Amino acid sequence: MTDVDQNVKRSFLFLLGSGREGGNTEALAREAATQLPSGVRQTWLRLSDYPLPPFEDLRHSEDRTFAPPAGNEKLLLDATLDATDLVIASPVYWYSVSASTKLYLDYWVNWLSLPELSFRDRMRGSTLWAVAASSNEDRTIAEPLLGTLRSSAAYMGMRWGGGLLGSGTRPGAVLEDAGAVAEAKGFF
C-alpha cells in the first residue's frame, strides 16, 4: 500500500473547544491542517455549535439505564467513531481543557457503558492529538491539558499523536509565534 493509499483512508476530526470563534487555538489547528495531504478527509466541529446537556454519571445508579445517544450527542459520537485521527483543539483554560471539551470527554463514560457501541474497541488504534494556545509563553502551563488527553488516549488504547502548543493573546497572535507555526508544518 502506498502512502497515498494510506492517506485516503485517514479521516481527521477537529473538535474545536474554544469559547471564541476564530481564536488562536483554531488558527493553529488550521495552520497544521493545511499540511495534510489532499486525500485526507477533514471534519471540523465547534463544540459550542453542538451543545450537550450537563453530564449525568449513571454507572452506579439504581436502574443503570443509559439512553441511546440522540441529537448532538449522537452527532458527536458518530463523528468520533468515524475518525482515524481525533484532534482536540482546546485553549488552555485554567491549566486544562475548556469546559465544552471536558463535557465532551465526560460523555465517553456513558459511551463506554453501552455495550452495543463497543466504544473502546472502535477507538483502539486511532490517534488522539492536542492543539492548544495559551496567553502564557511558558509551555509547561499546558502540561495538565496534555496529561488529560495523553492519559485518555492510553486508557482507550489510542495512539498519542502529541501536542502542538502556541502562545498568543489577541485573536491571530498565535500565528506570530514562529516556533508554533514551524512545528505546525510537520505536526500531523
Side-chain angles (χ1 to χ4, degrees), residues 41-119:
R41 188 165 45 114
Q42 296 180 34
T43 302
W44 294 78
L45 298 177
R46 185 176 316 285
L47 290 171
S48 61
D49 290 344
Y50 304 97
L52 295 168
F55 174 70
E56 185 178 357
D57 186 351
L58 300 172
R59 292 175 296 164
H60 303 288
S61 64
E62 212 168 279
D63 67 5
R64 214 172 163 318
T65 303
F66 294 89
N72 290 339
E73 179 187 358
K74 175 103 170 82
L75 183 143
L76 292 169
L77 169 64
D78 289 346
T80 300
L81 291 173
D82 193 41
T84 61
D85 294 80
L86 176 60
V87 182
I88 300 291
S90 171
V92 179
Y93 287 154
W94 289 103
Y95 314 101
S96 192
V97 295
S98 67
S100 61
T101 301
K102 177 64 171 74
L103 181 59
Y104 160 78
L105 291 171
D106 285 344
Y107 269 79
W108 287 21
V109 171
N110 285 351
W111 299 344
L112 285 163
S113 299
L114 290 166
E116 65 274 16
L117 290 181
S118 302
F119 186 64

